[in-house]
């Protein structure tokens, strides 16, 4: 009982605690290939263009699955939606390694890696929707903060450290096979050990209800336009995260910071991001979700993105100070965490559909970030592109002004009416 009380007190819904552990382990398996797969494939004979196409198609399926996660939870429940994600991941991974990697067949890699891309968002983001449905509103910011903590820690930290060991001791192909072991262990915790209660979600029994539920994920935007605005904010949140690696290593090298130092800096950014995921989840519950996103996320990310760019010029050779600024930038990116609590609270029902739009924004940022760099780096240069990302962060802050909860909107209207009454007197 004390353990249950402790979990609820720190913001983890005790009924879903094993699920958090499952997401951590699942994402560790999924993320172990992120830092080395592309150069490995090029070394094995694929062209850079083929590698680019492979990861572009992979990103497209991630975006599709991210959107479908919330809709499918509303249709079949979170446990079944996560199970579908697990099956897609296993089938895609087995095909990618067994048919694509071992034979170095690009034709075998493309469809199987795309299938794999449908897996992890459906597994992980369906659990996020489960959290949204099961957590009291006053604890929701903390609960989603813990989700992003285990998600990022698994994908970007534990996965990277494990792959460093596995590549030396198992080799690349066996390392990819071992990912499925970790994924299955994570699924065991999230789907079997996790005893989260079944959700009472109203489903349509009419024919074609699946298509109607998917369409409902888009229709919710028409009924509540603020959700679409929040989706744009979510794209901006991680656009620079995907865009910076395209040109920042080259810029840092021009400032005397080696590629290895840049990689260490990038790891430090995510360590900061993980720590602040929890902090801003708690702050959001106290300070307000919208205020936290607006000031810490939007404004903070803009300021520290610029400082990250200019600091190598200002403090020549001081890599440690640049790392501190990087940690703070990663922390400010976590300031957007309360969006996962704010968006589903904009609607009374259809919370899964609302989360689908937010998850879609997360998926699309993987395209928008590198796409903006590709389009504008030749025109604006490294400096101009960095200012462009900073401007986008600030623009997302302006958008947040209009993303208010119904209670907040009523308070604003009441304040205006009271002022008019006072002036009339």
């Amino acid at each position: 009982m004390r353990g249950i009380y402790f979990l609820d007190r720190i913001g983890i819904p005790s009924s879903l605690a094993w699920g958090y552990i499952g997401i951590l382990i699942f994402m560790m398996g999924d993320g172990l290939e992120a830092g080395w797969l592309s150069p490995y494939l090029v070394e094995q004979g694929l062209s850079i263009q083929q590698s680019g196409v492979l990861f572009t198609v992979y990103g497209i399926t991630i975006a599709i699955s991210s959107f479908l996660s919330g809709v499918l939870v509303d249709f079949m429940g979170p446990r079944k939606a996560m199970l579908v994600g697990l099956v897609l991941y296993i089938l895609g991974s087995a095909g990618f390694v067994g048919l694509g990697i071992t034979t170095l067949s690009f034709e075998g890699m493309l469809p199987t890696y795309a299938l794999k891309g449908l897996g992890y968002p459906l597994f992980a983001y369906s659990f996020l929707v489960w959290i949204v449905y099961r957590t009291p509103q006053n604890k929701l910011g903390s609960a989603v903060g813990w989700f992003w903590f285990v998600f990022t820690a698994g994908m970007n930290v534990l996965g990277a450290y494990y792959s460093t060991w596995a590549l030396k001791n198992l080799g690349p192909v066996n390392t990819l096979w071992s990912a499925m072991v970790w994924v299955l262990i994570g699924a065991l915790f999230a789907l079997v050990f996790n005893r989260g209660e079944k959700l009472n979600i109203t489903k349509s029994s009419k024919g074609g209800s699946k298509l109607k539920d998917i369409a409902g994920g888009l229709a919710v935007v028409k009924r509540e336009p603020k959700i679409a605005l929040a989706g744009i904010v979510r794209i901006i949140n991680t656009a620079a995260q995907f865009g910076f690696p395209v040109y920042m290593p080259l810029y840092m090298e021009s400032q005397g910071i080696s590629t290895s130092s840049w990689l260490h800096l990038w790891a430090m950014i995510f360590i900061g991001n993980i720590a602040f995921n929890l902090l801003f989840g708690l702050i959001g519950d106290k300070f307000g979700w919208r205020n936290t996103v607006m000031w810490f996320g939007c404004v903070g990310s803009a300021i520290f993105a610029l400082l990250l760019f200019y600091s190598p010029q200002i403090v020549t050779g001081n890599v440690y100070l640049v790392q501190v600024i990087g940690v703070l930038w990663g922390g400010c990116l976590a300031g957007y965490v309360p969006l996962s609590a704010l968006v589903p609270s904009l609607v009374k029902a259809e919370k899964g559909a609302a989360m689908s739009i937010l998850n879609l924004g997360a998926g699309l940022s993987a395209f928008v970030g590198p796409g903006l760099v590709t389009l504008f780096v030749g025109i604006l240069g490294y400096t101009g592109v960095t200012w462009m990302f900073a401007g986008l962060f600030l623009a997302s802050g302006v958008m947040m002004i209009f993303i208010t909860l119904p209670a907040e909107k009523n308070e604003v209207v009441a304040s205006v009416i009271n002022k008019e009454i006072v002036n009339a007197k």
Side-chain angles (χ1 to χ4, degrees):
M1 291 298 294
R2 289 183 178 180
I4 292 175
Y5 175 74
F6 174 74
L7 290 173
D8 287 325
R9 187 174 182 179
I10 64 175
I12 297 177
S14 56
S15 63
L16 298 175
W18 289 112
Y20 282 88
I21 297 175
I23 294 297
L24 175 72
I25 299 173
F26 184 100
M27 295 313 301
M28 172 184 168
D30 178 76
L32 62 83
E33 70 203 43
W36 58 271
L37 182 58
S38 179
Y40 169 76
L41 293 176
V42 173
E43 289 175 2
Q44 297 303 306
L46 260 66
S47 67
I48 296 177
Q49 291 78 11
Q50 286 177 318
S51 178
V53 170
L54 182 69
F55 285 97
T56 298
V57 173
Y58 179 67
I60 291 172
T61 58
I62 287 176
I64 293 171
S65 182
S66 298
F67 168 72
L68 291 177
S69 59
V71 177
L72 290 180
V73 168
D74 279 351
F75 177 74
M76 63 175 61
R79 202 182 299 273
K80 289 182 180 178
M82 293 172 71
L83 181 60
V84 171
L86 172 65
V87 171
L88 291 174
Y89 184 93
I90 294 298
L91 291 176
S93 294
F96 178 67
V97 181
L99 300 177
I101 293 290
T102 55
T103 61
L104 292 177
S105 167
F106 179 70
E107 292 75 16
M109 293 180 192
L110 194 60
T112 53
Y113 203 52
L115 183 63
K116 178 178 177 290
L118 292 172
Y120 96 72
L122 194 54
F123 186 90
Y125 294 156
S126 293
F127 182 71
L128 176 59
V129 179
W130 198 352
I131 293 170
V132 168
Y133 272 112
R134 272 284 164 236
T135 308
Q137 187 164 328
N138 65 328
K139 296 286 187 67
L140 192 51
S142 302
V144 298
W146 277 106
F147 169 82
W148 289 114
F149 175 88
V150 297
F151 181 94
T152 308
M155 173 175 272
N156 295 307
V157 179
L158 295 182
Y161 282 119
Y162 169 74
S163 64
T164 300
W165 173 87
L167 287 171
K168 294 179 181 179
N169 294 277
L170 303 178
V173 175
N174 288 331
T175 297
L176 290 173
W177 281 119
S178 72
M180 286 194 282
V181 175
W182 294 111
V183 163
L184 288 171
I185 294 173
L188 179 66
F189 279 96
L191 298 178
V192 180
F193 295 166
N194 182 38
R195 308 298 293 179
E197 302 92 338
K198 185 177 180 180
L199 301 183
N200 294 320
I201 301 173
T202 302
K203 305 180 184 71
S204 172
S205 60
K206 297 179 181 179
S209 60
K210 293 183 180 181
L211 293 178
K212 289 181 180 179
D213 283 357
I214 293 173
L218 297 173
V220 72
V221 172
K222 183 178 180 180
R223 290 189 292 273
E224 183 50 83
K226 287 183 285 188
I227 293 176
L229 206 58
I232 297 172
V233 172
R234 183 62 182 85
I235 293 174
I236 293 172
N237 173 201
T238 46
Q241 176 182 320
F242 289 102
F244 274 10
V246 177
Y247 72 96
M248 272 290 188
L250 300 174
Y251 164 74
M252 290 290 179
E253 191 172 15
S254 72
Q255 300 300 316
I257 296 177
S258 66
T259 301
S260 60
S261 295
W262 157 255
L263 292 174
H264 184 63
L265 168 61
W266 197 243
M268 294 296 292
I269 287 171
F270 282 109
I271 290 174
N273 181 261
I274 290 169
F276 280 92
N277 277 335
L278 295 180
L279 181 62
F280 284 126
L282 296 169
I283 290 174
D285 287 338
K286 303 295 183 182
F287 184 58
W289 299 331
R290 184 178 61 139
N291 290 334
T292 301
V293 174
M294 188 185 307
W295 295 109
F296 292 102
C298 306
V299 176
S301 294
I303 292 172
F304 283 103
L306 292 173
L307 287 175
L308 181 63
F309 182 83
Y310 284 108
S311 57
Q313 301 178 26
I314 299 171
V315 291
T316 306
N318 193 336
V319 178
Y320 297 107
L321 183 57
V322 178
Q323 289 177 355
V324 170
I325 293 173
V327 168
L328 293 174
W329 179 63
C332 287
L333 290 179
Y336 287 83
V337 158
L339 273 176
S340 296
L342 176 60
V343 168
S345 300
L346 294 173
V347 292
K348 293 182 179 180
E350 300 173 305
K351 295 183 183 295
M355 286 299 295
S356 287
I357 300 301
L358 197 64
N359 294 340
L360 177 62
L364 288 176
S365 65
F367 303 104
V368 172
L372 288 174
V373 175
T374 302
L375 288 173
F376 293 105
V377 71
I379 302 170
L380 302 176
Y382 297 156
T383 303
V385 170
T386 304
W387 275 95
M388 178 181 64
F389 280 123
L392 287 173
F393 283 128
L394 293 176
S396 70
V398 174
M399 295 177 198
M400 287 303 303
I401 296 174
F402 304 98
I403 305 176
T404 56
L405 292 171
E408 293 174 335
K409 183 177 180 180
N410 292 336
E411 289 174 4
V412 172
V413 172
S415 176
V416 172
I417 292 174
N418 289 334
K419 287 181 181 179
E420 289 179 352
I421 293 173
V422 172
N423 292 334
K425 290 181 177 180

